[in-house]
Amino acid sequence: MSNEAGGTAGSATPAPDPLPHGLGTSLPSPHARAKTEGTFPYAADLWAEGLLWAAVLRSPHPHARIVSIDTSHARVMPGVRAVITHEDVPGTAVHGRRVKDRPVFASEVVRHHGEPIAAVAADHPDTARMAAAAVIVEYEVLEPVIDPEKAFSAEPLHPDGNLIRHIPLRHGDPDVTGEVVVEGVYRIGRQDPAPIGAEAGLAVPRPDGGVELYVASTDPHNDRDLAAACYGLDPERVKVVVTGVPGATADREDPGFQLPLGLLALKTGCPVKLTATREESFLGHAHRHPTLLRYRHHADAEGRLVKVEAQVLLDAGAYADTSAEALAAAVSFACGPYVVPHAFVEGWAVRTNNPPSGHMRGEGALQVCAAYEAQMDKLARKLGADPADVRLRNVLATGDVLPTGQTVTCPAPVAELLRAVRDFPLPALPKDTPEDEWLLPGGPEGAGEPSAIRRGVGYGLGMVHMLGAEGTDEVSTATVKVHDGVATVICAAVETGQGFSTLARQIVQDTLGVDEVHIAPVDTDQPPAGAACRGRHTWVSGGAVERAAKMVRTQLLQPLAHKFGMSTELLQITDGKITSYDGVLSTTVSEALDGKELWATAQCRPHPTEPLDEHGQGDAFVGLAFCAIRAVVDVDIELGSVRVVELAVAQDVGRVLNPAQLNARIEAGVTQGLGAALTENLRTPRGLIRHPDLTGYALPTSLDAPDIRIVKLIEERDVVAPFGAKAASAVPVVTCPAAIASAVRAATGRPVTRLPIRPQAAVVTTTA
């Protein structure tokens, strides 16, 4: 007796459903199981025969002149194999991802707390740390410049001066004014990327006098070139091998952390490993730029924007890093996703003696989003209008012009996004006397009283650019090979958690009809693919993989097309089968391959952009992505504690390539934005990082995450992007803090001008 599934009664359990296949499905990550079980190898897990351990001595001062460095005591300690300082750098003594202005080791002056002075290699990690502490440095402590406003008049902190970049944006008529004017001053704190996985690396000397670096690099070719210049070697003699990357929301590994490793390996002739402590991570890598913003919005009596005037000051810390790029984004997006006929923005990035700032997801755009959305709330309040309605009167659409003079040619469904979150049903109100303590903003056993709770609803509209900007040459190369029914993708695009390894498999499955697709490990023997940021690898590297796969597809189909007298365009591959338009030809991909080995290499390079000119004008961006978030918060107006009840998200995604992966990226981005809004502030009194640990620096946990409702994903394909997809993770990070601040303003009536939101900003004082 047969059952409906075609089996026999009493037969064995049916085979499990096949895995999802191709673009548009929720294909799981190939590393998901290993990461879940804790067996996935990261740099901290690596080992080599004859291994030595490294430690770095860092400055305890934010600003000081180095009088002398005495390494003699460290050198004679048992087990110490090498001690190096600036005198032991054979090549270029400075480095930097964009501007090479940062010493490998400080020699004459230290410019920030935690700057490297010396490094040690020893046979035990404790010995290495003790030897580093035994290096005696005599300092002449100098007064640090910690206020970016004072950097303009302070003595130069660096030979290149204190001003890194100034962008004066001029768009329209400066004499135009509006009937309604609102002003505000805003401050955004220093957010740390806080990588959960340990920052670690291994350097192994090579027989040819070169060195191999095993690190969680997000831009291996750039890191190789920096290392080769530092070591005084040709790039061919330095190899960067990318280990497992335990998440990256910024440049994952600071080059200043990697470079001493190779120097020690070359000096000792032994493999050298360094695993940074959490304190060293906070001291070493770059953070989000703290920002001071001043705004004046002009509008007509209906709330339509007439002119925006703004000043944006980024604190770059001691070195330039990516501050020039962050400033360009901040100035360009200073008016937000709104139509502004007249805009005048002054932007500066300056050096201080604070910890270095650099690339972090949504840099520049997050800071201005918090400010311009606060201004939109002020405008609505002054007009006595609904905040969502005021925003809808001004939103950007395809064909509108940015303040930079660039026409928005990509899909920009901002109004549709805002309406989606506005119209989504609000969460239920808590009872007057909640039975569950966690409903109070203070959390379990919080001190708050239910009668002091006020609910607020706020909105945020954000935008980010995708890929590099201002003339950056974006290019990636990929190779696709097929043999014995198995495909292999070779591409130096680093999987940082953004899902490229899954996407590449889906592309090849879709194009070639091959189920089994492997992604080769990444190293610098492969052609460069660029940095893993701003959705680059979805667009550029994914495009390269698609082009290579299509070339292999042509190789596969040409013999069949020739045999049947038709073009390859008349053949299609679906579910592992090759069929012709008329049904005459039908065979499987496996039969067509018949033991052949096919391969192709291709590049993807998006259309060029241009630098902003002396008036901040230019077509600087390849593409834009947009997001709307509605935040619902409960605020204890006596204690100032805030509980985010719900975040409703609508996002412009171009095309959904992997639904589960996309949802996870959006939820993660929103949660990171939650941290910037409420808890994450790396405090640096007098330039010193206070509490450089995860006790003093409060990351949101799963207990802090609210209900995140992805209410709408708009799939309006960007015709210039491969697959039509847009970057997904940065724009919710940018938008979330602004939405939460807006909701707190709605609940309290307070202006809320700082991020993260301090309790005193949410306290409502009542008079008898």
Side-chain angles (χ1 to χ4, degrees):
M1 183 176 184
S2 298
N3 58 24
E4 291 183 0
T8 304
S11 63
T13 303
D17 293 335
L19 287 174
H21 182 101
L23 293 172
T25 67
S26 294
L27 182 69
S29 165
H31 309 303
R33 179 163 185 168
K35 289 181 177 179
T36 303
E37 295 175 344
T39 59
F40 188 76
Y42 295 109
D45 304 314
L46 299 180
W47 187 263
E49 190 68 30
L51 185 70
L52 300 177
W53 296 86
V56 177
L57 173 69
R58 298 179 179 272
S59 168
H61 308 291
H63 196 202
R65 185 170 291 110
I66 296 175
V67 178
S68 64
I69 303 174
D70 181 2
T71 62
S72 59
H73 295 83
R75 293 180 188 279
V76 299
M77 291 179 65
V80 172
R81 298 286 297 275
V83 181
I84 57 175
T85 66
H86 66 277
E87 296 178 345
D88 301 289
V89 179
T92 306
V94 293
H95 68 94
R97 292 196 182 274
R98 298 295 183 272
V99 180
K100 293 178 174 55
D101 64 344
R102 189 172 182 175
V104 179
F105 295 112
S107 57
E108 299 178 354
V109 63
V110 293
R111 299 184 177 92
H112 71 92
H113 180 209
E115 184 156 14
I117 307 293
V120 174
D123 57 10
H124 192 279
D126 290 343
T127 304
R129 284 190 285 269
M130 288 188 292
V135 175
I136 300 173
V137 183
E138 183 182 351
Y139 298 98
E140 178 189 341
V141 179
L142 304 173
E143 185 67 21
V145 177
I146 58 174
D147 183 346
E149 291 190 282
K150 294 182 179 179
F152 293 100
S153 58
E155 290 293 318
L157 302 175
H158 191 277
D160 294 342
N162 294 346
L163 179 63
I164 294 170
R165 189 177 187 185
H166 172 221
I167 302 177
L169 186 149
R170 306 282 182 264
H171 182 75
D173 184 352
D175 297 325
V176 169
T177 59
E179 298 173 70
V180 183
V181 178
V182 293
E183 300 184 21
V185 179
Y186 307 95
R187 294 181 183 273
I188 311 300
R190 180 178 287 103
Q191 187 181 22
D192 190 87
I196 299 303
E199 293 184 80
L202 173 68
V204 179
R206 300 189 343 180
D208 64 356
V211 66
E212 293 185 359
L213 299 173
Y214 295 80
V215 291
S217 170
T218 58
D219 191 356
H221 288 83
N222 186 48
D223 287 348
R224 176 203 63 185
D225 294 345
L226 289 176
C230 170
Y231 305 155
L233 298 173
D234 293 332
E236 293 75 20
R237 295 174 64 191
V238 177
K239 181 178 180 180
V240 172
V241 180
V242 178
T243 63
V245 178
T249 62
D251 293 322
R252 183 59 174 76
E253 301 289 0
D254 170 33
F257 165 83
Q258 301 172 8
L259 297 177
L261 271 176
L263 290 171
L264 289 169
L266 290 168
K267 190 173 184 67
T268 61
C270 298
V272 180
K273 181 177 178 179
L274 173 61
T275 302
T277 63
R278 180 58 60 181
E279 178 179 353
E280 287 177 314
S281 286
F282 275 108
L283 294 175
H285 58 224
H287 315 87
R288 190 181 301 283
H289 292 80
T291 308
L292 172 66
L293 308 105
R294 294 184 173 91
Y295 270 80
R296 181 184 296 126
H297 276 52
H298 298 251
D300 64 18
E302 300 299 319
R304 291 181 178 85
L305 293 174
V306 174
K307 183 171 72 171
V308 171
E309 301 170 280
Q311 294 179 339
V312 180
L313 177 58
L314 301 186
D315 180 355
Y319 299 106
D321 205 85
T322 58
S323 295
E325 289 89 337
L327 183 67
V331 170
S332 300
F333 304 145
C335 300
Y338 300 107
V339 177
V340 180
H342 310 278
F344 298 87
V345 183
E346 296 278 350
W348 302 272
V350 296
R351 289 184 175 88
T352 65
N353 291 121
N354 290 319
S357 303
H359 169 67
M360 190 169 170
R361 187 185 283 165
E363 70 270 22
L366 180 147
Q367 293 92 322
V368 295
C369 182
Y372 65 66
E373 287 297 77
Q375 288 288 102
M376 297 303 286
D377 283 341
K378 280 190 176 183
L379 180 59
R381 188 168 186 177
K382 193 164 186 176
L383 292 168
D386 181 82
D389 289 343
V390 172
R391 287 170 167 84
L392 281 170
R393 290 170 201 162
N394 292 283
V395 290
L396 203 67
T398 304
D400 287 328
V401 178
L402 298 176
T404 60
Q406 179 170 348
T407 300
V408 179
T409 56
C410 67
V414 186
E416 189 177 350
L417 295 172
L418 179 53
R419 290 191 185 99
V421 297
R422 181 197 62 183
D423 298 340
F424 187 70
L426 288 165
L429 287 166
K431 298 176 183 178
D432 291 337
T433 307
E435 298 176 359
D436 297 316
E437 291 181 349
W438 62 266
L439 287 173
L440 295 175
E445 301 184 15
E449 293 293 334
S451 60
I453 307 304
R454 301 291 183 271
R455 174 156 289 189
V457 178
Y459 298 92
L461 293 179
M463 62 190 296
V464 298
H465 68 94
M466 296 175 287
L467 313 185
E470 294 194 276
T472 302
D473 183 22
E474 294 285 7
V475 63
S476 182
T477 304
T479 298
V480 174
K481 296 182 178 181
V482 181
H483 183 59
D484 287 339
V486 177
T488 301
V489 176
I490 302 170
C491 183
V494 178
E495 171 61 69
T496 64
Q498 86 280 39
F500 173 75
S501 61
T502 308
L503 173 62
R505 292 165 61 214
Q506 291 177 278
I507 293 168
V508 175
Q509 287 176 345
D510 241 22
T511 307
L512 297 177
V514 176
D515 280 325
E516 189 173 350
V517 184
H518 298 160
I519 311 300
V522 174
D523 61 51
T524 50
D525 286 345
Q526 302 163 8
C533 60
R534 303 185 191 93
R536 283 191 71 262
H537 289 323
T538 297
W539 184 319
V540 186
S541 297
V545 172
E546 182 189 40
R547 291 181 183 184
K550 285 183 174 179
M551 293 166 67
V552 172
R553 183 181 186 275
T554 299
Q555 296 173 26
L556 175 64
L557 298 181
Q558 265 181 341
L560 293 172
H562 180 74
K563 180 178 179 180
F564 286 87
M566 61 180 70
S567 69
T568 57
E569 286 75 16
L570 299 177
L571 301 177
Q572 62 180 7
I573 301 177
T574 306
D575 296 329
K577 293 182 180 179
I578 302 172
T579 56
S580 61
Y581 75 102
D582 56 6
V584 171
L585 170 63
S586 179
T587 186
T588 66
V589 171
S590 298
E591 290 171 345
L593 283 170
D594 191 27
K596 299 174 185 174
E597 181 174 355
L598 306 177
W599 67 274
T601 298
Q603 284 190 335
C604 180
R605 177 180 269 113
H607 66 81
T609 56
E610 62 188 25
L612 297 175
D613 65 17
E614 66 274 13
H615 300 299
Q617 301 296 293
D619 290 347
F621 308 110
V622 177
L624 303 169
F626 304 91
C627 177
I629 295 180
R630 186 195 67 193
V632 179
V633 304
D634 284 343
V635 182
D636 187 319
I637 62 171
E638 294 178 349
L639 300 178
S641 52
V642 178
R643 171 178 171 250
V644 181
V645 178
E646 179 186 88
L647 293 166
V649 185
Q651 193 162 320
D652 152 50
V653 298
R655 179 186 175 189
V656 177
L657 302 176
N658 185 312
Q661 193 166 272
L662 176 63
N663 288 347
R665 295 294 287 170
I666 292 173
E667 291 172 0
V670 168
T671 306
Q672 187 176 14
L674 172 73
L678 295 179
T679 63
E680 294 187 54
N681 186 25
L682 191 64
R683 292 171 290 172
T684 56
R686 292 190 57 78
L688 296 170
I689 296 180
R690 179 185 290 179
H691 305 307
D693 53 54
L694 294 182
T695 300
Y697 185 81
L699 285 172
T701 69
S702 58
L703 297 177
D704 302 302
D707 288 335
I708 300 172
R709 310 291 188 187
I710 301 175
V711 303
K712 192 163 192 175
L713 300 175
I714 296 181
E715 293 189 78
E716 188 176 346
R717 298 190 185 187
D718 189 338
V719 296
V720 301
F723 331 111
K726 291 190 175 186
S729 58
V731 69
V733 179
V734 165
T735 313
C736 180
I740 292 173
S742 176
V744 174
R745 279 190 285 271
T748 64
R750 299 291 306 279
V752 186
T753 59
R754 287 176 177 260
L755 291 182
I757 301 169
R758 298 183 294 183
Q760 54 266 42
V763 171
V764 178
T765 304
T766 58
T767 56

